[in-house]
Amino acid sequence: MRKILLLLSLTALFACKKGMEQYRNARPVSEVSVSTYDFLRQQGALYDTLLRLIDAVHLTDTLKNQQVTFFVPQDVSIETAMKNLNFARERLGEPGNWTLDSVPLAVWDSLLRRYIVRGIVDADSLRYADGSDLISLYGHEMNGKTSSTNASGAVGGGTQLLVYSDKNDSRFTKDWSTALTQNVDIHSKNGLMHILESQHVFGFTSFVGKAYPRSLEPIQGPYLGYPIEIPGILNAADYDEGPKEIAYHYKNPDGGKAYRNDDPGTENCSEGDNLISPGGRYNIGWISDGDWVRYTVDIKDTGKYKLELRIAGNGGGIVYLLIDDIPVSDEIAVPNTGGWQNWQSVFGTADLPEGKHLMKVVFKKANLNLHRIIFTKL
C-alpha cells in the first residue's frame, strides 16, 4: 500500500510541475475579425490621434487591406513626443505652441512607417539571441526580439514581451532606440498587431530632430549658462559655447585642453583664481593673427568703459573689441612681457551699449596669451 501511495504522490507531483510549465510558457493569442485599422477604431479614444495621422499620410488602406505587422504606438506616446518638441523650441527661444498640424506631414509619414513591417512577424519568429532584423515601410532597418519578465522569483517566468528597436542606421546595439510591448500577437483580418507600452515616445529618438531641425544644431550661448555682466570681469576661457565661426575663429586647433576641448587652446594660468568662475584659473593661448572669441555679455549701462587686459607674451600683439560685429574699442597694443606666464596689464577704452549683446575679442596681431578683461565704467 505504501508503494502505491508513493507512486501516486510522485505522479501527481510531476503532473503538477508539467502543468506549471505549460502555464508559465503559455502566451495568449488574440484574434479579431476586423482589419487592423478597424480594430484600432473600435478602441474608443485610445488611438484617435494615431488614426488621424494615419489618415493624413494615406496609410489607411495599408492597415485595412494589406498584410502587415503593426507595432502600435499609443496616443500618449505621440503626446509625449509633442511635449518634447515644444520644450526644445522653448529652450531655443521660440514659442512652445506647436500642434500636430505644425509638424510637416512628411515627418509623420516617415516615422509612422517605422512601426509597420510587411508580412506577419509574430513573437515566435523573433526568438533569437540577437532578435531578427526587420525592414519597415520605406526600407528603414529595425530589430525585433522576444524577452520575458520575471515573476514570483522565477527568472524569465513572467509575461512575454517584445523589444522593438530603431537601429538608427548602426549595427551597434548601444546606438539603438528601443520600445517594449504591452500586448503581443493580436491577429486581425489582414495582419498582426503588437501594442507598444505607453512609456514609449513616438518616433524613438528621431521625432524632435526631424520635426524641428534647429534642435540638432550645436548648443550656442554663454558658456556659464548666463551672460557675463559688465562692468565686471570677463575671463577669457569662458568664451561662448558653440561651433567654429559662431563662438570662435581659431586657426590653430592643436592648443592645450586644460579647461575646454574645442579649438581655442586653454592652459593653467599662473595668476589664476576662480573667484568669478572656474574659467578664472585658465588663460587662452595658441592664438594666430585674425583669431577671435565670442562672449555673451549683459552691459548694465551705456557709456565709456576702461578696459584692463591681463596679457602675457612676446610682444607685437594688437587686440580690439566688437559688439554685434561693430567695432567699439580702440586697438590695444600688447608689449613683450618676458614670458608666456609673465602677466601684465594693458589698458584701453570702449564705448558700450546697454543690454545683452555678443562681444568678440579680436586678435588683429597675436603672439600673446589672454587671461581676462576687467571692465570699469568711466
Side-chain angles (χ1 to χ4, degrees):
M1 177 66 68
R2 279 186 173 183
K3 288 183 179 180
I4 295 173
L5 288 174
L6 179 60
L7 180 61
L8 289 173
S9 299
L10 290 173
T11 302
L13 177 62
F14 284 120
C16 180
K17 283 187 176 181
K18 182 178 179 182
M20 289 174 62
E21 290 301 320
Q22 286 176 337
Y23 176 78
R24 177 177 295 168
N25 294 324
R27 174 170 47 79
V29 177
S30 301
E31 188 166 350
V32 295
S33 59
V34 296
S35 70
T36 295
Y37 181 91
D38 291 329
F39 171 78
L40 296 175
R41 177 68 71 193
Q42 291 174 0
Q43 306 312 303
L46 287 175
Y47 301 104
D48 282 352
T49 301
L50 176 65
L51 291 174
R52 174 187 164 189
L53 295 172
I54 286 170
D55 291 341
V57 299
H58 308 295
L59 281 170
T60 308
D61 180 72
T62 299
L63 295 180
K64 275 190 172 185
N65 300 309
Q66 299 182 30
Q67 189 178 67
V68 293
T69 298
F70 191 15
F71 292 82
V72 184
Q74 300 186 40
D75 276 6
V76 66
S77 299
I78 300 171
E79 292 167 9
T80 302
M82 288 299 301
K83 288 179 181 177
N84 291 345
L85 169 61
N86 281 316
F87 176 81
R89 288 178 54 79
E90 290 174 349
R91 182 175 62 85
L92 293 173
E94 299 194 47
N97 58 358
W98 271 23
T99 65
L100 298 175
D101 294 331
S102 306
V103 178
L105 279 179
V107 173
W108 293 120
D109 184 39
S110 171
L111 294 180
L112 277 168
R113 289 171 184 267
R114 294 190 185 183
Y115 295 88
I116 303 173
V117 178
R118 294 204 180 278
I120 301 299
V121 182
D122 60 15
D124 284 337
S125 67
L126 303 176
R127 293 179 180 276
Y128 299 97
D130 296 325
S132 296
D133 288 338
L134 306 171
I135 302 297
S136 71
L137 303 187
Y138 282 168
H140 191 78
E141 285 195 21
M142 309 293 289
N143 182 275
K145 180 181 178 181
T146 57
S147 180
S148 295
T149 59
N150 301 331
S152 302
V155 177
T159 305
Q160 178 180 255
L161 52 80
L162 301 182
V163 181
Y164 188 56
S165 301
D166 183 342
K167 296 178 68 174
N168 290 320
D169 299 318
S170 174
R171 62 188 181 90
F172 300 106
T173 56
K174 66 181 180 64
D175 298 325
W176 297 3
S177 305
T178 61
L180 303 179
T181 56
Q182 179 174 298
N183 300 97
V184 302
D185 284 357
I186 303 174
H187 289 263
S188 70
K189 186 177 179 181
N190 66 302
L192 189 67
M193 289 171 279
H194 307 296
I195 309 298
L196 299 180
E197 64 179 1
S198 59
Q199 289 87 347
H200 169 63
V201 179
F202 177 81
F204 297 88
T205 57
S206 298
F207 177 72
V208 173
K210 282 183 172 293
Y212 183 50
R214 189 183 168 201
S215 66
L216 300 177
E217 296 175 2
I219 295 174
Q220 300 178 26
Y223 183 70
L224 301 175
Y226 51 85
I228 297 169
E229 291 190 357
I230 294 175
I233 297 175
L234 179 153
N235 289 311
D238 287 328
Y239 54 88
D240 279 358
E241 188 88 61
K244 188 174 182 178
E245 308 305 332
I246 297 294
Y248 60 86
H249 171 82
Y250 234 72
K251 297 184 180 71
N252 180 8
D254 299 323
K257 308 297 180 188
Y259 181 52
R260 307 277 293 269
N261 290 320
D262 41 18
D263 289 354
T266 56
E267 62 182 341
N268 292 302
C269 182
S270 63
E271 68 167 9
D273 62 63
N274 62 347
L275 296 178
I276 305 300
S277 79
R281 296 196 297 264
Y282 307 92
N283 62 265
I284 61 173
W286 294 271
I287 301 166
S288 303
D289 291 354
D291 285 352
W292 52 261
V293 283
R294 191 189 78 176
Y295 304 86
T296 301
V297 296
D298 185 3
I299 303 166
K300 297 307 180 183
D301 295 296
T302 297
K304 189 174 287 292
Y305 287 78
K306 181 178 77 172
L307 312 178
E308 179 183 356
L309 284 68
R310 295 296 294 172
I311 56 89
N314 293 331
I318 298 175
V319 182
Y320 64 92
L321 304 185
L322 303 176
I323 288 286
D324 302 330
D325 290 325
I326 298 173
V328 293
S329 79
D330 46 7
E331 293 187 350
I332 303 168
V334 177
N336 187 339
T337 69
W340 294 108
Q341 288 294 321
N342 292 337
W343 297 95
Q344 292 183 12
S345 292
V346 296
F347 298 91
T349 59
D351 292 299
L352 304 180
E354 181 182 354
K356 294 181 181 178
H357 298 277
L358 298 177
M359 173 183 288
K360 289 180 181 177
V361 178
V362 183
F363 304 98
K364 183 175 180 179
K365 294 291 183 181
N367 210 24
L368 74 143
N369 288 342
L370 177 64
H371 178 211
R372 58 177 37 151
I373 305 175
I374 304 166
F375 293 83
T376 305
K377 183 73 162 51
L378 293 176

